[in-house]
Amino acid sequence: MTDASRRTSADDDALLERLRALARGAEGTDATRGHLPDQPFPPVTETEVEQVERDLGYGLPLLLRRVYTEVGDGGFGPENGLASLMPRRIPEWYQPDWPRATSPRTRYPEWGLPASWLFLTGGGCSMQWHVSLIAIDNPVLLWDADGWEPDWGENPHDGLCYAAPSLREWLWTWADGGNVWDEALKILSVG
């Protein structure tokens, strides 16, 4: 059992503090901004989160709500950085429109992504990280857009693997310097 899997909601304040430090590249975190914007985006308001939830038809997990309202609206985090809830532009950057958590559903309606999956970040090529808004503990899902074939009667779930049993564990893995791919690759190699 990893340290991340032992964390509970009682550890969320510590996780948010660690995420704040990593998001800002604070001294002693060994964080680099790399391919991310110079700074994370400012936090969103509760009103903005509530509007996104109304649009989605689902509430965000409390931990994710706190990340967006207390740490920042994306631009930091695992992989390519968390997607934003609000539209964000970085005109001088190579990708002027930062990915939005709701964009895969509206941008690629033919994918038929369930409304209960919220996009977290890209995983390279056709891979995407999502969080389930309805499953217990809000597992993180690794989804491959090329991993299913609708012409064969398959659906988006056929391109899916459960990458982490909870959003909390996935975020702690990253915050502790771990690789969020480790568990997903272990599952994929067994499957």
Side-chain angles (χ1 to χ4, degrees), residues 93-117:
W93 200 53
Y94 79 94
Q95 181 180 334
D97 291 320
W98 189 255
R100 284 188 68 194
T102 57
S103 64
R105 192 176 292 80
T106 56
R107 205 168 158 202
Y108 304 104
E110 69 276 11
W111 287 355
L113 295 175
S116 62
W117 296 2

Side-chain angles (χ1 to χ4, degrees), residues 44-69 72-73 83-86 101-102 105 115-120 131-135 137-138 167:
V44 294
T45 65
E46 286 290 335
T47 302
E48 289 171 321
V49 172
E50 290 165 4
Q51 181 58 54
V52 168
E53 290 174 332
R54 278 191 297 279
D55 293 347
L56 289 171
Y58 293 96
L60 296 185
L62 179 59
L63 176 58
L64 191 57
R65 175 185 277 267
R66 289 189 66 194
V67 168
Y68 281 121
T69 61
D73 186 26
S84 296
L85 294 179
M86 299 290 110
T102 57
R105 192 176 292 80
S116 62
W117 296 2
L118 182 72
F119 175 68
L120 292 171
V131 63
S132 172
L133 299 177
I134 59 173
D137 291 331
N138 306 106
L167 175 65

Side-chain angles (χ1 to χ4, degrees), residues 152-172:
W152 298 347
E154 295 179 340
N155 66 48
H157 282 88
D158 291 305
L160 174 74
C161 86
Y162 285 82
S166 72
L167 175 65
R168 180 173 290 107
E169 186 171 329
W170 189 73
L171 288 171
W172 266 115

